[in-house]
Amino acid sequence: MLAVRPGEKIVSDRQALIQDAQGVLDRNWTGASTIPSRSLYPHQWSWDAAFIAIGRSWQEQRRAEQDLETLLAAQWASGMVPHIVFNPAVPAGAYFPGPEFWDSAGAAGHPNGPATSGLTQPPLHALAALEVHRRAQDPGRARAFLERVYPRLAAQHDYLARRRDPAGHGLAVIVHPWESGMDNAPVWDEDLELAVPPGAVPPYRRHDLVNADPGDRPTQAAYDRFVYLAITYRDKGYDDSRLLAGSPFLVEDPLFNSIWCASAHAPAEIVPAGYVDAIIADLRSEHFRPADPGAFLVPSSDLVSPEFDRRRYWRGPVWINTDWLVWRGLMQHPAATGGAELAAEIAASMVRLVSRSGWREYFDPFTGAGYGSADFSWSAALVIDLLRTLAADQGDKP
Ligand code: 9WN
């Protein structure tokens, strides 16, 4: 079976794996923040910063704080935390769409300082800041950190409530698949069925196809739509005041909102038990659990749907960050039937994946082969968090 029961050790040399993960984070540190990967993503990304700070919090309080503060320093006047903060030292053209595409300097409310994108990403940062504080090696310093970031985190949450809930549902909308973090997932396909008017997307060069296998990345049709949506939002000055009337893509994404909820500390206990049981049942079903007991959990898309693709970006491969989110959610519900066993299986799967294929961006659910970029920061950071949390729970010294 998929190995490991609750309480069992899941890795033979935990220290070696943690050290290896630490090496990824060291190599991806720029002096002010951690980039997701040297090849594909040479700037700072928003929800990556939160995952990375959680991993770093175990022994690198200063860098964890700095990752979050560098990101939050780029917050817009509206409270929007941008999904990319561009490093001015990186050559223009190293990533598309870069600063010249987003033209953030021309937008109302952009702060002085580095250029940013005009979109946001799942708001995991308050939760990450609290983890950094909770594990701080220097509690006094951590308190000062929390006092500094609190107003910015509050403004981020306020932005989502005031500017991103046009229907008044209490749920934030995303205006672009990039805001979901799971950009290329089949769940967006229907909403992306939009006609791109001829000439609306000027010619552009995709760097991701140079730095990764095209079979792992979004198709050209999907990319054109991503770029078109971004242009549409940009050309309206990133104005959220008329979202219902003017946005070709407007979705109340469950993952984005669950992260918002968790980050806002809406206690997970208020989730009705029935939902947790239903999610566990789904995860244990043929939809998210490969039949082969040697396979890996959890595929990022429904295994039996026609859109499932075992290697293409967000359409089936296993990602360490979504595994970590599910694992953490399950750990918060120890009483849910089968939850603890599933959490242990997911933990074991995460460790098997990185031990087998290295710190890749995503992995094949059947073979465990690695895809996308190598030395990917959140894969390293979240395995550190996983191993150290399990060790602490077992009373071992991390
Ligand atoms: C677009 C950095 C980011 C992640 C996203 C992931 C990918 C960017 C891209 O990389 O998105 O934002 O160029 O494909 O989908 O979740 O934050 O790691």
Side-chain angles (χ1 to χ4, degrees):
M1 272 310 288
L2 279 162
V4 186
R5 293 191 175 71
E8 247 176 76
K9 291 208 184 309
I10 58 167
V11 57
S12 52
D13 193 345
R14 188 177 68 226
Q15 279 308 341
L17 200 57
I18 288 176
Q19 254 174 35
D20 207 33
Q22 190 61 48
V24 173
L25 297 181
D26 291 348
R27 289 192 288 283
N28 290 346
W29 175 250
T30 63
S33 67
T34 311
I35 54 175
S37 110
R38 295 230 159 246
S39 54
L40 271 176
Y41 313 112
H43 302 283
Q44 186 182 35
W45 257 259
S46 172
W47 77 330
D48 300 60
F51 291 128
I52 291 162
I54 288 169
R56 286 199 186 278
S57 68
W58 288 93
Q59 60 183 37
E60 296 183 289
Q61 179 184 352
R62 280 171 187 258
R63 285 192 181 178
E65 289 176 1
Q66 218 179 330
D67 262 314
L68 288 173
E69 291 200 85
T70 299
L71 175 76
L72 291 173
Q75 183 172 40
W76 290 29
S78 61
M80 198 274 291
V81 174
H83 100 296
I84 308 174
V85 181
F86 291 104
N87 179 351
V90 170
Y95 175 80
F96 178 83
E100 59 299 328
F101 173 92
W102 295 101
D103 188 24
S104 58
H110 184 267
N112 291 331
T116 73
S117 74
L119 299 172
T120 194
Q121 255 189 340
L124 190 66
H125 312 89
L127 189 145
L130 205 60
E131 293 287 75
V132 172
H133 177 263
R134 205 159 66 81
R135 305 214 179 100
Q137 295 86 48
D138 176 347
R141 188 189 156 91
R143 182 161 183 89
F145 158 74
L146 268 195
E147 280 169 11
R148 285 194 306 277
V149 295
Y150 179 83
R152 290 186 179 265
L153 295 168
Q156 176 191 31
H157 286 238
D158 195 46
Y159 164 75
L160 295 173
R162 277 186 308 103
R163 309 283 284 267
R164 287 300 192 92
D165 182 16
H169 292 162
L171 297 170
V173 289
I174 56 169
V175 300
H176 196 293
W178 282 334
E179 294 201 315
S180 74
M182 298 179 64
D183 322 346
N184 196 38
V187 286
W188 313 131
D189 288 357
E190 207 179 308
D191 292 281
L192 275 178
E193 279 300 323
L194 38 93
V196 177
V201 176
Y204 61 94
R205 188 166 159 257
R206 285 180 64 178
H207 294 276
D208 60 324
L209 299 184
V210 179
N211 292 313
D213 185 323
D216 299 0
R217 298 288 305 171
T219 61
Q220 194 54 42
Y223 230 82
D224 281 348
R225 288 169 181 165
F226 292 160
V227 174
Y228 170 63
L229 282 178
I231 289 175
T232 310
Y233 191 47
R234 179 197 68 193
D235 290 353
K236 290 193 175 135
Y238 305 112
D239 176 7
D240 292 320
S241 63
R242 290 185 309 277
L243 286 179
L244 280 180
S247 297
F249 181 97
L250 211 57
V251 178
E252 289 169 341
D253 169 22
L255 178 63
F256 189 101
N257 281 286
S258 306
I259 287 178
W260 185 23
C261 189
S263 223
H265 269 260
E269 293 89 292
I270 64 172
V271 176
Y275 286 2
V276 180
D277 289 342
I279 290 170
I280 292 175
D282 242 7
L283 292 171
R284 297 181 83 103
S285 76
E286 60 183 0
H287 296 282
F288 289 98
R289 188 186 186 89
D292 173 3
F296 299 87
L297 299 176
V298 176
S300 55
S301 186
D302 185 342
L303 285 163
V304 298
S305 77
E307 294 85 16
F308 175 81
D309 183 331
R310 62 197 285 174
R311 68 175 301 163
R312 198 180 290 278
Y313 196 67
W314 294 117
R315 301 181 80 86
V318 177
W319 292 68
I320 296 295
N321 69 327
T322 40
D323 267 10
W324 181 87
L325 287 166
V326 175
W327 169 76
R328 198 178 148 113
L330 290 171
M331 299 285 277
Q332 281 176 12
H333 295 278
T337 319
E341 289 76 13
L342 185 58
E345 286 180 351
I346 292 171
S349 183
M350 290 164 76
V351 170
R352 286 170 60 219
L353 283 170
V354 297
S355 305
R356 179 195 177 286
S357 299
W359 306 102
R360 296 300 297 267
E361 192 178 355
Y362 40 102
F363 303 87
D364 191 301
F366 304 111
T367 65
Y371 299 135
S373 70
D375 260 10
F376 191 64
S377 292
W378 81 39
S379 299
L382 295 177
V383 169
I384 292 178
D385 183 71
L386 171 80
L387 293 179
R388 289 194 166 245
T389 302
L390 293 179
D393 288 353
Q394 289 168 5
D396 295 359
K397 279 213 180 71

